[in-house]
Amino acid sequence: MDPERFQAAYQRLRSLDERMTHKIRPRDAGFARLSPEQVEDRLHDLARYTLDLGDVVEELFQAIASRPQPPAPEE
């Protein structure tokens, strides 16, 4: 496992969570009181979140499957 790559992917996941979770979390009223434009906006947010989450999960798997990078030589 490449710990640096894993850490970077984890930070992307945390950032995605902070940025998007409040937009996609279901509300008590659901879609019943939303206008068609609001529904479209919520679906767009959900689609963006899903695509970004897929990218982060792929990067996590790559980090787990890869070897650690050797330290850079000091000059």
Side-chain angles (χ1 to χ4, degrees), residues 5 12 15 17 20 25 30 35 47 53 67:
R5 193 171 181 184
R12 283 182 58 203
S15 175
D17 183 54
M20 298 292 292
R25 186 168 304 215
S35 71
L53 184 59
R67 294 178 187 248

Side-chain angles (χ1 to χ4, degrees), residues 34-61:
L34 298 177
S35 71
E37 293 81 18
Q38 290 171 318
V39 170
E40 187 174 332
D41 288 344
R42 300 245 341 246
L43 288 175
H44 181 271
D45 290 340
L46 182 58
R48 178 83 263 155
Y49 181 81
T50 302
L51 292 171
D52 289 349
L53 184 59
D55 291 343
V56 171
V57 169
E58 183 177 339
E59 182 62 29
L60 284 169
F61 277 112

